[in-house]
């Protein structure tokens, strides 16, 4: 078979597909790509062959590949070939919009690869639905934003946009965009633009994809959880039938899977419903009395909820210590929501001039989802769910505890190949923690380190156990050591902490020192902007709590990563659920959950340092490592082959 043919593997049922795929991959990496200036990387080729074997045999595969391996090309070849072979597209689930563009944008990885192979690849993006404008909501919101300084810009954009994507108008802040963007609670069935809106057109664009769909995580999991119900209701699923799923940055799947499987109750949404209904002129007495009663029980519920919240500086998802008072308040809340739902159904039949039918149906959707959350929460005294309060918007989340079972039913039992790729899926080649989290029984796996010469590029400094001194004394000594390290390095450093509270504590302490470089703080601006400034100001320092992954600063702007605190997991409810599961299985949660979770996050943090083969630098871990119970875990998370020395002076 000619490697240069335009449509390889465009046939079905051939028994020697695995052999043909392996041969093609070998030709691409050993012959074609080197002709275009690509170096032969054995780590990349090994990973590609392992993925190809898993795809050919419809396995669940965990492909761990270190930085610089080229894992994107490694999985793209199998994805393209299997899509052609099966006649259905492969879905690549991306961790962010930026990574979607990096893959499928005009100058992205797929464009570059297809040019090198002289191969026409049909690739389309399925983006976050909230990134599209809702025409009806825009029309409803005109009076709200008419005096807003962004009004003219929005109106001019609306007049010319064909896609309705937010990327076309990035200067609009979140608070304004939320007024006009697609909202899952809006009743689309009765919308005058139903079937013709920007979001529908976007779906029509990606559904016919022949080869690849680069999907947002939210869309993928919403499709996964709702696919059967939508088909049963005579609706199209969000994604077309696909042959293969590849999770890029696969270590990040649990949270989006949980959130799309769960329900939330947003206090602001409930308050808006109550306020809007109170404004109806000439409303029926039964409706008004119900709204007033709902307002009171809503206040009681959220007060009871807040009293049960367990404070945690390390996460914005706060766990809840459920008690009888909260369960009773939830029951009363559910009862009033059900009563209001019946009143709204009467209003729909009567029709009111104060609120449109579409608005009333939107309220119905929001109420039904809140009732579902309360149903789950109240059942079996909330033992079958994971709950939390999100500090960012004060919303109450209820998600199924049996996420691994749901993934097994809706995905793994479908007998299609599923591949998870990331630089951090295992602890020293042990995939048991990740497998247990997802409920995987016997996945195949492969692991390769970075293709960089880390022995020559990285030096790691570790601390031994501290002397018995007070926390304040240790903090003061730590600040002195940090200042010394930053000055010696001339800035050019990333400092990683475990909480924004600790970031602010460090900022207060550093006010006593005169530093010859600029210091950027994660909590002092939009993340992308702060990282960009850090990258541009070569001698600067960046200090943050949520920068362990997802930032890329190659070159001279970063030559020192300081791990101020080891990233032991917080009381995050999803981690707490894993701890409980471990106990039920007779395992030590510290060893089976906390240590592996810390190790994976530390591996991500260390990975910020070396981004290219020319980068050089040091990693300093300021918390004790040598002689501690977690020493082996930390050593396993460090860049393989890196030189290790002892840090003294703390």
């Amino acid at each position: 078979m000619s490697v240069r043919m335009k449509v390889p593997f465009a046939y079905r049922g051939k028994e020697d597909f695995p052999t043909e795929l392996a041969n093609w991959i070998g030709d691409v990496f050993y012959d074609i790509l080197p002709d275009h200036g690509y170096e032969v990387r054995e780590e990349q080729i090994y990973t590609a062959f392992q993925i190809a074997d898993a795809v050919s045999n419809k396995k669940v595969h965990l492909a761990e590949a270190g930085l610089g391996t080229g894992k994107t090309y490694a999985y793209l070849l199998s994805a393209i070939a299997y899509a052609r072979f099966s006649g259905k597209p492969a879905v690549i689930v991306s961790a962010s919009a930026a990574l979607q563009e990096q893959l499928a944008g005009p100058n992205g990885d797929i464009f570059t690869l297809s040019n090198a192979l002289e191969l026409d690849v049909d690739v389309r993006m399925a983006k976050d639905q909230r990134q599209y404008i809702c025409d009806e909501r825009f029309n409803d919101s005109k009076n709200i934003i008419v005096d807003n300084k962004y009004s003219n810009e929005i109106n001019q954009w609306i007049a010319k946009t064909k896609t309705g994507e937010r990327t076309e108008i990035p200067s609009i802040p979140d608070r304004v965009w939320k007024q006009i963007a697609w909202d899952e609670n809006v009743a689309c069935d009765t919308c005058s633009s139903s079937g013709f809106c920007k979001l529908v057109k976007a779906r029509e664009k990606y559904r016919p994809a022949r080869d690849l769909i680069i999907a947002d995580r939210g869309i993928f999991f919403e499709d996964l959880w709702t696919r059967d119900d939508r088909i049963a209701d005579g609706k199209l699923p969000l994604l077309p039938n696909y042959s293969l799923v590849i999770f890029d940055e696969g270590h990040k799947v649990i949270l989006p899977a949980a959130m799309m499987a769960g329900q939330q109750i947003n206090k602001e949404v409930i308050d808006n419903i109550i306020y809007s209904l109170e404004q109806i002129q000439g409303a029926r007495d039964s409706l008004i009395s119900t709204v007033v009663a709902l307002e009171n029980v809503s206040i009681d519920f959220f007060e009871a909820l807040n009293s049960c919240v367990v404070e945690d500086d390390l996460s914005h998802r706060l766990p809840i210590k459920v008690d009888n008072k909260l369960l009773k308040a939830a029951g009363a809340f559910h009862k009033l929501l059900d009563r209001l739902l019946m009143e709204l159904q009467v209003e729909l039949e009567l029709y009111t001039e104060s609120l449109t039918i579409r608005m009333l149906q939107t309220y119905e959707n929001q109420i039904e989802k809140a009732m579902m959350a309360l149903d789950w929460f109240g059942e079996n005294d909330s033992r079958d769910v994971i709950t939390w309060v999100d500090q960012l918007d004060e919303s109450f989340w209820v998600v199924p505890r049996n996420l691994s079972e749901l993934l097994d039913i809706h995905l793994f039992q479908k007998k299609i190949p599923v591949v998870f790729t990331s630089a951090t899926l295992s602890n020293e080649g042990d995939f048991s923690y990740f497998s247990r989290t997802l409920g995987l029984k016997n996945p195949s796996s492969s692991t390769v380190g970075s293709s960089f010469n880390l022995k020559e590029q990285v030096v790691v400094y570790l601390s031994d156990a501290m002397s018995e001194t007070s926390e304040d004394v240790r903090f003061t000594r730590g600040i002195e050591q940090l200042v010394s390290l930053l000055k010696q390095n001339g800035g050019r450093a990333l400092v990683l902490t475990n909480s924004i509270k600790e970031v602010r504590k460090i900022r207060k302490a550093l006010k006593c020192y005169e530093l010859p470089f600029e210091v950027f703080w994660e909590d002092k601006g939009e993340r992308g902007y702060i990282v960009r400034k850090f990258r541009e100001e070569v001698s600067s320092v960046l200090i943050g709590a949520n920068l362990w992954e997802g930032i890329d600063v190659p070159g001279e702007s970063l030559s020192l990563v300081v791990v101020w605190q080891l990233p032991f997991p917080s009381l995050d409810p999803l981690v707490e659920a894993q701890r409980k599961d471990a106990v039920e299985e007779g395992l030590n949660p510290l060893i089976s959950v906390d240590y592996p979770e810390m190790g994976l996050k530390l591996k991500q943090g260390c990975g910020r340092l070396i981004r290219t083969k020319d980068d050089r630098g040091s990693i300093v871990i300021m918390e004790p490592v040598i002689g501690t119970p977690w020493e082996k875990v930390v050593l396993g998370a460090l860049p393989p082959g890196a030189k290790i020395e002892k840090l003294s002076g703390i």
Side-chain angles (χ1 to χ4, degrees), residues 269-401:
V269 168
I270 300 297
D271 289 345
N272 286 340
I273 293 174
I274 292 171
Y275 176 78
S276 296
L277 296 178
E278 285 177 339
Q279 304 309 305
I280 295 178
Q281 298 296 319
R284 294 174 295 110
D285 290 344
S286 59
L287 175 61
I288 292 300
S289 63
T290 300
V291 171
V292 171
L294 176 63
E295 185 172 15
N296 291 329
V297 298
S298 174
I299 291 172
D300 291 342
F301 171 75
F302 283 105
E303 285 182 351
L305 181 64
N306 290 331
S307 69
C308 293
V309 166
V310 179
E311 295 297 330
D312 182 11
D313 293 332
L314 306 185
S315 175
H316 63 83
R317 291 182 295 277
L318 303 180
I320 298 165
K321 189 174 182 180
V322 179
D323 60 16
N324 289 332
K325 181 180 178 181
L326 178 57
L327 290 170
K328 184 177 179 181
F333 193 18
H334 183 281
K335 183 177 181 180
L336 260 296
L337 286 171
D338 189 29
R339 184 170 144 192
L340 178 59
L341 188 61
M342 290 188 291
E343 292 293 340
L344 290 183
Q345 290 168 349
V346 173
E347 289 297 319
L348 279 172
E349 295 177 3
L350 296 176
Y351 183 71
T352 174
E353 295 181 359
S354 301
L355 292 173
T356 65
I357 290 180
R358 190 171 63 82
M359 187 60 71
L360 287 170
Q361 289 180 327
T362 297
Y363 290 164
E364 276 194 331
N365 290 343
Q366 292 170 330
I367 291 170
E368 287 173 350
K369 290 180 179 180
M371 290 173 60
M372 185 179 297
L374 293 170
D375 271 335
W376 292 354
F377 178 63
E379 188 176 349
N380 198 21
D381 291 340
S382 80
R383 293 187 182 92
D384 300 327
V385 293
I386 303 170
T387 57
W388 70 81
V389 170
D390 193 322
Q391 287 189 96
L392 302 181
D393 60 5
E394 298 183 334
S395 59
F396 172 52
W397 280 89
V398 183
V399 305
R401 186 176 173 184

Side-chain angles (χ1 to χ4, degrees), residues 520 528-540 542 550-558:
F520 295 109
Y529 171 78
I530 294 294
V531 172
R532 186 168 63 253
K533 293 294 291 182
F534 171 58
R535 191 183 295 120
E536 293 170 353
E537 298 289 336
V538 174
S539 64
S540 62
L542 175 59
I551 69 168
D552 189 16
V553 187
E556 59 181 342
S557 293
L558 178 57

Side-chain angles (χ1 to χ4, degrees), residues 539-597:
S539 64
S540 62
V541 172
L542 175 59
I543 302 179
N546 301 292
L547 304 171
W548 295 84
E549 60 181 299
I551 69 168
D552 189 16
V553 187
E556 59 181 342
S557 293
L558 178 57
S559 60
L560 172 64
V561 170
V562 178
V563 178
W564 176 261
Q565 295 170 302
L566 288 171
F568 284 102
S570 65
L571 298 177
D572 184 289
L574 293 172
V575 178
E576 278 290 281
Q578 293 174 38
R579 292 183 178 115
K580 291 178 182 177
D581 290 343
V583 171
E584 291 175 1
E585 294 175 23
L587 302 173
N588 183 332
L590 188 66
I591 296 174
S592 61
V593 177
D594 286 42
Y595 285 1
E597 185 75 19

Side-chain angles (χ1 to χ4, degrees), residues 116 156 210 235 304 323 332 341 423 448 637 644:
Q156 292 173 11
R210 297 187 306 276
K235 299 177 181 178
D323 60 16
L341 188 61
V448 294
I644 299 176

Side-chain angles (χ1 to χ4, degrees), residues 602-622:
L602 178 61
K603 186 187 290 188
Q604 283 282 350
C606 292
R608 299 312 95 204
L609 180 64
I610 304 299
R611 309 301 292 177
T612 74
K613 63 180 181 180
D614 298 318
D615 290 343
R616 298 287 187 278
S618 303
I619 297 170
V620 177
I621 299 180
M622 299 188 67

Side-chain angles (χ1 to χ4, degrees), residues 18-76:
T19 302
E20 293 284 1
L21 176 58
N23 290 339
W24 185 60
I25 288 173
D27 288 341
V28 168
F29 283 122
Y30 285 115
D31 297 326
I32 299 177
L33 291 183
D35 287 346
H36 290 78
Y38 291 86
E39 61 180 316
V40 174
R41 287 176 281 184
E42 295 300 335
E43 297 90 350
Q44 180 184 46
I45 297 170
Y46 172 79
T47 301
F49 281 137
Q50 292 296 308
I51 292 174
D53 175 74
V55 169
S56 298
N57 293 287
K58 298 183 179 181
K59 299 177 182 178
V60 176
H61 185 75
L62 312 180
E64 183 177 59
L67 190 66
T69 302
K71 62 181 175 63
T72 302
Y73 281 11
Y75 68 66
L76 279 176

